[in-house]
Amino acid sequence: MADTSVELFEPGHRACGGCGPALAARHILKGSGPDTIVVASTGCMEVFSTPYPESAWKVPWIHSLFENAAAVASGIEVALKKQGRKEHIVCICGDGATFDIGTMCISGAFERGHNITYVCYDNEAYMNTGIQRSGATPYDASTTTSPAGSASHGNRTQKKDMPAILAAHGAPYVATASIAYPNDIVKKVERAVNIPGACYIQIHAPCYTGWGFEGARTIDVAKLAIQTGLWVNYEMVDGDVEKVKKVKRKPVDEYLAEQKRFRHLFKPKRNDEEIAKIQAIADRNAANFGIDI
């Protein structure tokens, strides 16, 4: 059982106050433990946690390119196996590296079945480089490359379903989690690193600067995503959903109204048609996963 008293991600790093990914990193390492090698993609976490010559990581940590964390992890796994070593190999990457830039390398690693755990901290855009949309950006969110205005309501595509994609690769364990529930993150990571094969966990990690809310509200916003059904916490084993967090759902308005990236849906006047489309996404999630209490 994971020793949650041990801190392997040090304070004093350069993340924004109220940073969702920083909270995710702390609890990921509580789940994986000290015998862990972290492979990181380019992204917010890499930048704020490892400004040379400093590091917030108390475990071995390696960064290569934006797109190839899964390939680097695969090589480390093969090398350690040859040496008879059994450290946990954990990729910790953002949604841009996971959903877009690194998809090919991730697919290869999961196809080959390397004994790694890939964790995506999902803050739903390229936050490190200017809040550009990614394949994880939700419908109607305004970003610098999907700006809301007179000709657009924001991002016109729906969030890519990476857990389903990697489950379809034959991953033995796939899970989603949220920084709103840290013990759940710890338990899921601990489970994943002890299952042979390529496992995937996607952690919802709100970014208050990119989403546009007060930093003290990070946990509250994360909880609202789950309470509205726009984010679902679940586990899949061998492609089958095993466990889902059930909630008494709230209307999506409560979540959307908290964030500047959805402000155009309420000002200068409320856009009921677009809000209804987002409510329909939450309703489909509820129907597909049976999350309603």
Side-chain angles (χ1 to χ4, degrees):
M1 189 171 182
D3 183 357
T4 57
S5 67
V6 177
E7 297 290 349
L8 298 172
F9 187 73
E10 291 275 53
H13 50 71
R14 302 183 185 186
C16 303
C19 172
L23 291 171
R26 181 184 178 199
H27 298 299
I28 291 166
L29 289 186
K30 285 178 180 288
S32 65
D35 294 327
T36 299
I37 297 173
V38 172
V39 183
S41 67
T42 300
C44 279
M45 194 178 294
E46 170 255 328
V47 171
F48 71 65
S49 67
T50 60
Y52 183 82
E54 302 167 4
S55 175
W57 304 89
K58 295 178 73 175
V59 297
W61 180 96
I62 184 169
H63 166 248
S64 185
L65 302 176
F66 211 146
E67 68 270 20
N68 69 346
V72 172
S74 300
I76 293 171
E77 187 258 355
V78 172
L80 293 182
K81 186 181 293 184
K82 184 70 173 177
Q83 296 174 34
R85 294 168 57 182
K86 296 182 179 180
E87 287 94 334
H88 300 309
I89 304 161
V90 180
C91 291
I92 302 179
C93 307
D95 52 275
T98 304
F99 284 62
D100 303 334
I101 296 173
T103 303
M104 181 174 67
C105 288
I106 297 168
S107 178
F110 275 70
E111 178 186 346
R112 295 187 299 270
H114 288 282
N115 190 23
I116 65 174
T117 297
Y118 190 106
V119 183
C120 171
Y121 62 92
D122 182 5
N123 55 19
E124 300 188 329
Y126 289 87
M127 300 305 178
N128 180 52
T129 55
I131 319 175
Q132 298 93 345
R133 72 161 299 282
S134 76
T137 301
Y139 181 76
D140 270 359
S142 182
T143 73
T144 54
T145 52
S146 62
S150 59
S152 171
H153 298 299
N155 184 48
R156 305 311 299 162
T157 60
Q158 293 195 27
K159 190 180 185 79
K160 189 186 296 182
D161 193 348
M162 280 300 292
I165 291 169
L166 294 177
H169 278 65
Y173 181 76
V174 171
T176 59
S178 166
I179 59 163
Y181 299 95
N183 289 337
D184 185 57
I185 294 175
V186 174
K187 290 176 182 177
K188 286 173 177 174
V189 171
E190 184 178 20
R191 185 177 185 185
V193 297
N194 287 296
I195 293 175
C199 298
Y200 178 71
I201 300 175
Q202 189 169 308
I203 301 175
H204 201 225
C207 171
Y208 85 88
T209 53
W211 295 14
F213 59 85
E214 292 296 323
R217 295 282 296 161
T218 301
I219 298 298
D220 295 323
V221 170
K223 285 185 176 179
L224 276 172
I226 292 174
Q227 290 165 347
T228 57
L230 288 172
W231 181 269
V232 182
N233 271 5
Y234 62 90
E235 293 176 274
M236 297 177 71
V237 176
D238 295 327
D240 296 322
V241 176
E242 181 182 85
K243 187 177 180 181
V244 181
K245 180 174 178 60
K246 294 185 180 291
V247 295
K248 185 175 182 180
R249 279 199 298 146
K250 297 181 177 182
V252 297
D253 309 44
E254 295 190 31
Y255 176 67
L256 303 176
E258 285 265 1
Q259 305 168 56
K260 184 179 178 181
R261 63 179 179 161
F262 294 112
R263 182 173 57 187
H264 57 284
L265 300 179
F266 299 91
K267 297 179 180 180
K269 64 178 182 179
R270 179 185 172 92
N271 190 328
D272 287 319
E273 182 179 354
E274 290 301 308
I275 293 172
K277 292 178 182 177
I278 299 173
Q279 183 65 58
I281 294 170
D283 293 344
R284 283 196 296 274
N285 286 340
N288 291 338
F289 290 98
I291 64 174
D292 288 323
I293 290 177

